[in-house]
Amino acid sequence: MVPAWYLAKALAAFALVTSVHGQYGKSADLPLLLDATAEELTAGLDAGDFTSVDLVHAYVGRILQVNSTLHMVTEINPDAWKIAKELDEERACGKTRGPLHGLPILIKNNIATADQMNNTAGSWSLVGARVPRDATVAAKLRAAGAILLGKANLSQWANFRSGNSSNGWSAYGGQTYGAYYPGQDPSGSSSGSGVSASLGLAFGTLGTETDGSILSPSQLNNIVGLKPTVGLTSRSLVIPISEHQDSVGPMARTVKDVAYILQAIVGPDRYDNYTSAIPWASKASNNSIPDYVAACTLDALRGKRIGVPRNAIGSRTNASAPIFDAFEAALGVLREAGATVVENTNYTAYTEYLNSTAEGTVLDGDFKPNLAAYLSQLTFNPQGVKTLKDVRNFTRTFPLEEYPSRDTASFDEALSLNFSNTDYEFWAAYQKDLYLGGEGGLLGALSRHDLDAVVLPSRSASGISAIIGAPVISVPLGALPPNTTVVKNERGTLNATAPNIPFGLAFAGAHWSEANLIGFAYAFEQRTNVRRKVKPYIEPSIELVDVVGA
Ligand SMILES: *[C@@H]1O[C@H](CO)[C@@H](O)[C@H](O)[C@H]1NC(C)=O
Ligand SMILES: *[C@@H]1O[C@H](CO)[C@@H](O)[C@H](O)[C@H]1NC(C)=O
Ligand SMILES: *[C@@H]1O[C@H](CO)[C@@H](O)[C@H](O)[C@H]1NC(C)=O
Ligand SMILES: *[C@@H]1O[C@H](CO)[C@@H](O)[C@H](O)[C@H]1NC(C)=O
Ligand SMILES: *[C@@H]1O[C@H](CO)[C@@H](O)[C@H](O)[C@H]1NC(C)=O
Ligand SMILES: *[C@@H]1O[C@H](CO)[C@@H](O)[C@H](O)[C@H]1NC(C)=O
Ligand SMILES: *[C@@H]1O[C@H](CO)[C@@H](O)[C@H](O)[C@H]1NC(C)=O
Ligand SMILES: *[C@@H]1O[C@H](CO)[C@@H](O)[C@H](O)[C@H]1NC(C)=O
Ligand SMILES: *[C@@H]1O[C@H](CO)[C@@H](O)[C@H](O)[C@H]1NC(C)=O
Ligand SMILES: *[C@@H]1O[C@H](CO)[C@@H](O)[C@H](O)[C@H]1NC(C)=O
Ligand SMILES: *[C@@H]1O[C@H](CO)[C@@H](O)[C@H](O)[C@H]1NC(C)=O
Ligand SMILES: CC(=O)N[C@H]1CO[C@H](CO)[C@@H](O)[C@@H]1O
C-alpha cells in the first residue's frame, strides 16, 4: 500500500543528513520522538530547530523501521511532504493556525479523507472507494494545521465482522502487534492508532470507539485515550457501527496532547445531527467551548468526589492481582491530590447489565442502516457494495478476506435481526440501555453520591458508559510484572497476557464532562508518570537529529 519510492525517499533523506547533523550542533536540544509532546515540538518549530517537513521525514522513517514487525500503519499520505512544506511556509510568514500547526497525526483506517488515501475499515471491498469530502474530524484537523500523515490499521470493521478473528487484524492491513512484548495482542479496534501513538510514529492519533475501541488499545499500549460523549465529535464519513454509540476521539502519549487534539475536533456539524446536542454549541450558552487544555491543572482533583463502583470492577485473582494492587495505590494518589474517594458507589443494575442483550440489539439494529448510509455517500464504489448483505457476500467470496477461517458472525447476527433502528423493539432495547447505564449504572451512582466522576481499572470502564454515550478517559497505570504467565488470545495467534503489557486507570463521568475528566487524568498522570517507566521491547531509532538539514 506504499510505493517503493517512499522508502527510497526516506532512506535518501537519512543518508544525506547523518553527514551534516553535527554541524548544526543542535542535536542535544531536539526532542526525542518516543515521548515528544505538542508543546515541545511546537517550541522547536517556532525556534527553527526543525521543520514540519523534518517531522514528516522522521516519523515516516520511524514507521518504516517497525512496520514490517508490527503492521500498525496501512498507508502513508503521499501528500504529507507537500502539506508540511506549505505549513512550514505559513509558519515562516508568522502565520500559525493553532497549537496543532505542522504536527503530523495518524488517523484510524475508518475515517475517510478526500485525498489519495483509502478508507477501508480494513476490507478489500472498499479499497479504491472515493468519498465526496473529508470526514468532518479530518477536515477539522487539517483546518487546525495538523498534517494527516497516514492511516492506522484496525481490527477489521472496527471488530464488527467476526466471532473468531483477532484484535488488530484486517484483511487489507494484516495483523497489528503491540510493542511491549513479542506478538503482543494490540487490543482493538483502534489497534494501529494505539501502537503508533505509543512508539512516537506521529505526534498523536485518532481512534473510534463503540464499546472499548479507544480505551482498550490505549491502556494496553501505554498511552492516554479519550472516548468523548457521543455527539461531541462528528461521525460524518467515518465508517460506522452504531450512531447511538460510535465516537471519534484522540489517542496520544500525554493527557495534554489528548486535550489539544480534542479541542481541534469537537463541535457541531450539519452532517451529524447528534452534534446538535452539544450544550455549549448554542447562542444561549454563548458558544462557550470548554478549554480542554486549560483543564490540565495539577490541582484538578482538589475537593472533587471520585467514586469507586466496586461491583463493576470484577474480583481479584492471581492473574489480575497486579492490576488491583496498582488500582488501590492509585486511589491513594487521588486522595493525596486532594480528592475524596467515595467507596462502594455501586451500580445498582450491574448484574442485570451483565446479563442484558440490549446493547447487541442496538448495535445490530444500527449497523445495517448506518453502514448503508455510509456506502450511499461514496462517489466511487469499485465493488458496488451498497448494503451489509453485499459486504458479507464480498467478505465470504474474496480470498484475501480469509473466510471462513475468520467468520462473519457479527454480520450474520446483524442481518438476522428482523427489525431496524426505527422499530419499537429497537427503541425498547435502547431505553433499557439508558436505564442500565443511567439510573441503574453510572448516572445513578454519580447523583446518589454527589460525585464528579468514578474511577476504575480501564479494562472495566467502557461498557456502562458506551451504552449511554458518556465519556471516559484512560491514562497509564502500570504494566504486568516479569513473572506473568504468557496467555494467548483465543485464536492462538497473539500473546494477550504477558510480562510488561501495560494497563490503565479510567475516569468516567456524565455526558459533556470531558474537561473534568481531562483534569483528573492530568492530575494523576503528572503525579505518577507511569508511561515513562514502562518501556517497549521494540522501538524505532530514527530521530529528528537524523533528518534535520536534509
Ligand atoms: C511495511 O513493511 C513492508 C515490508 O517491509 C513494506 O513493503 C511496506 O511498504 C511497509 N509499509 C509502510 C506503510 O511503510
Ligand atoms: C489506495 O489503494 C490503491 C489500490 O490498492 C493503491 O493503488 C493506492 O496506492 C492506495 N493509496 C495509498 C495512499 O496508499
Ligand atoms: C508469544 O510469546 C511466546 C513466549 O515468549 C513466544 O515464543 C512467541 O513467539 C510469541 N508469539 C508471537 C506471535 O510472537
Ligand atoms: C438531521 O435531521 C433532519 C431532521 O430529522 C433530517 O432531515 C436530516 O437528514 C438529518 N441529517 C443527517 C445528516 O442525518
Ligand atoms: C452569555 O453572555 C451574557 C452576556 O455577557 C451573560 O449575561 C449570560 O449569563 C451568558 N450566558 C451563559 C450561559 O454563560
Ligand atoms: C458494592 O460492591 C462490592 C463488590 O461487589 C460489595 O462488596 C459491597 O458490599 C457493595 N457495597 C454496597 C454498598 O452495595
Ligand atoms: C494463587 O497464587 C497462590 C500463591 O502463589 C497459589 O498458592 C494459589 O494456588 C494460586 N491460585 C490459583 C487459583 O491459581
Ligand atoms: C438473565 O437472563 C436470563 C434469560 O434472559 C433470565 O432468565 C435471568 O433471570 C436473568 N438473570 C438476571 C440476574 O437478570
Ligand atoms: C459476491 O461477491 C463476488 C465478489 O467477491 C461477486 O463476484 C458476486 O457477484 C457477488 N454476488 C452477489 C450475489 O452479490
Ligand atoms: C472460525 O469460525 C468458523 C465458523 O464460524 C469456522 O469455520 C472456522 O474454522 C473458525 N476459524 C478458526 C481458525 O477456528
Ligand atoms: C510474581 O511475583 C510476585 C512478587 O514477587 C508474587 O507476589 C506473585 O505471586 C508472583 N506471581 C506469579 C503468577 O507467580
Ligand atoms: C502497508 C503495509 O504495511 N502493509 C503490511 C501489513 O501487514 C502485512 C502482513 O500482515 C504486510 O504484508 C503488509 O506489507
Side-chain angles (χ1 to χ4, degrees):
M1 270 99 289
V2 165
W5 65 264
Y6 288 130
L7 193 57
K9 183 167 176 169
L11 292 178
F14 309 138
L16 263 177
V17 277
T18 28
S19 57
V20 292
H21 68 75
Q23 94 194 42
Y24 291 89
K26 289 174 189 154
S27 52
D29 304 333
L30 299 180
L32 297 177
L33 296 177
L34 184 65
D35 283 305
T37 64
E39 289 173 1
E40 287 164 355
L41 293 174
T42 299
L45 290 167
D46 283 343
D49 293 342
F50 51 86
T51 63
S52 291
V53 171
D54 293 330
L55 278 177
V56 169
H57 275 315
Y59 282 133
V60 169
R62 291 170 71 85
I63 290 169
L64 294 176
Q65 282 185 309
V66 290
N67 115 77
S68 59
T69 312
L70 304 179
H71 306 144
M72 66 293 133
V73 169
T74 59
E75 42 191 70
I76 288 165
N77 186 355
D79 302 322
W81 286 269
K82 188 174 95 214
I83 294 168
K85 191 157 173 288
E86 284 162 13
L87 292 165
D88 280 335
E89 282 160 11
E90 285 181 18
R91 187 185 297 276
C93 296
K95 183 189 167 211
T96 57
R97 301 184 191 184
L100 296 184
H101 188 104
L103 302 186
I105 290 185
L106 288 160
I107 62 176
K108 186 175 179 178
N109 191 7
N110 61 355
I111 301 170
T113 50
D115 55 15
Q116 297 188 62
M117 291 192 286
N118 294 288
N119 189 45
T120 65
S123 168
W124 288 95
S125 68
L126 292 177
V127 174
R130 312 296 311 159
V131 289
R133 59 179 187 278
D134 282 336
T136 301
V137 288
K140 281 175 172 280
L141 284 179
R142 277 194 217 273
I147 301 163
L148 301 181
L149 184 66
K151 303 296 287 283
N153 207 351
L154 76 171
S155 311
Q156 199 182 23
W157 293 107
N159 201 20
F160 213 69
R161 161 190 158 171
S162 181
N164 62 357
S165 188
S166 49
N167 286 325
W169 180 88
S170 70
Y172 176 68
Q175 176 66 58
T176 308
Y177 296 97
Y180 290 85
Y181 192 82
Q184 182 195 337
D185 186 329
S187 184
S189 65
S190 307
S191 319
S193 304
V195 174
S196 299
S198 192
L199 286 183
L201 308 181
F203 152 66
T205 64
L206 288 189
T208 67
E209 168 148 340
T210 307
D211 186 340
S213 278
I214 288 174
L215 298 171
S216 187
S218 293
Q219 69 141 346
L220 290 156
N221 291 292
N222 199 25
I223 60 165
V224 182
L226 172 71
K227 180 277 188 116
T229 305
V230 170
L232 182 63
T233 53
S234 167
R235 290 84 46 86
S236 170
L237 289 174
V238 177
I239 298 175
I241 293 174
S242 161
E243 63 184 271
H244 290 91
Q245 293 192 198
D246 293 352
S247 186
V248 182
M251 299 167 71
R253 293 178 291 276
T254 68
V255 175
K256 200 182 254 191
D257 287 350
V258 155
Y260 274 118
I261 299 173
L262 183 68
Q263 200 80 54
I265 61 172
V266 301
D269 175 18
R270 69 194 172 95
Y271 295 118
D272 182 350
N273 279 345
Y274 284 60
T275 59
S276 64
I278 297 174
W280 42 260
S282 69
K283 283 206 179 103
S285 61
N286 297 341
N287 291 314
S288 49
I289 305 170
D291 187 335
Y292 298 113
V293 178
C296 296
T297 62
L298 260 185
D299 65 356
L301 281 162
R302 184 158 308 283
K304 302 298 181 186
R305 290 172 58 81
I306 309 293
V308 185
R310 285 281 168 193
N311 71 332
I313 66 178
S315 50
R316 186 191 167 98
T317 62
N318 281 356
S320 66
I323 298 174
F324 274 75
D325 291 347
F327 180 69
E328 297 309 324
L331 297 182
V333 174
L334 304 187
R335 287 189 199 98
E336 280 161 26
T340 301
V341 173
V342 186
E343 276 292 345
N344 290 314
T345 63
N346 293 358
Y347 298 154
T348 52
Y350 198 68
T351 315
E352 206 185 324
Y353 159 74
L354 291 178
N355 199 32
S356 165
T357 56
E359 183 180 14
T361 303
V362 168
L363 302 189
D364 290 340
D366 273 344
F367 190 47
K368 265 185 299 184
N370 289 172
L371 179 63
Y374 175 83
L375 297 172
S376 75
Q377 296 175 78
L378 296 178
T379 52
F380 179 61
N381 187 340
Q383 304 298 334
V385 286
K386 296 200 161 57
T387 63
L388 176 57
K389 218 171 177 171
D390 295 342
V391 168
R392 179 172 68 173
N393 166 62
F394 180 92
T395 304
R396 286 181 166 187
T397 51
F398 192 76
L400 292 174
E401 295 283 328
E402 295 190 15
Y403 179 85
S405 167
R406 300 176 194 261
D407 66 25
T408 53
S410 301
F411 291 173
D412 303 343
E413 202 182 295
L415 285 167
S416 73
L417 195 73
N418 57 10
F419 54 86
S420 180
N421 63 357
T422 50
D423 191 273
Y424 75 94
E425 281 189 65
F426 177 94
W427 191 246
Y430 182 54
Q431 292 306 309
K432 175 142 196 214
D433 274 353
L434 294 186
Y435 162 71
L436 293 173
E439 182 52 35
L442 174 66
L443 302 183
L446 293 175
S447 67
R448 264 194 311 284
H449 300 279
D450 192 21
L451 304 174
D452 296 287
V454 300
V455 65
L456 316 91
S458 297
R459 65 185 198 144
S460 306
S462 74
I464 282 286
S465 296
I467 59 175
I468 57 170
V472 189
I473 192 168
S474 177
V475 60
L477 172 61
L480 297 177
N483 62 352
T484 301
T485 308
V486 176
V487 180
K488 288 188 188 307
N489 68 339
E490 280 175 24
R491 214 179 152 81
T493 49
L494 299 169
N495 289 321
T497 304
N500 200 43
I501 291 190
F503 53 82
L505 182 75
F507 294 93
H511 301 89
W512 321 109
S513 68
E514 284 81 1
N516 279 344
L517 302 182
I518 284 172
F520 303 157
Y522 180 84
F524 177 79
E525 171 200 54
Q526 295 299 308
R527 285 175 172 81
T528 52
N529 269 310
V530 171
R531 173 175 159 80
R532 302 275 186 138
K533 295 168 192 157
V534 180
K535 298 291 178 197
Y537 82 91
I538 175 176
E539 210 184 299
S541 63
I542 290 169
E543 294 288 352
L544 278 165
V545 68
D546 301 311
V547 302
V548 169

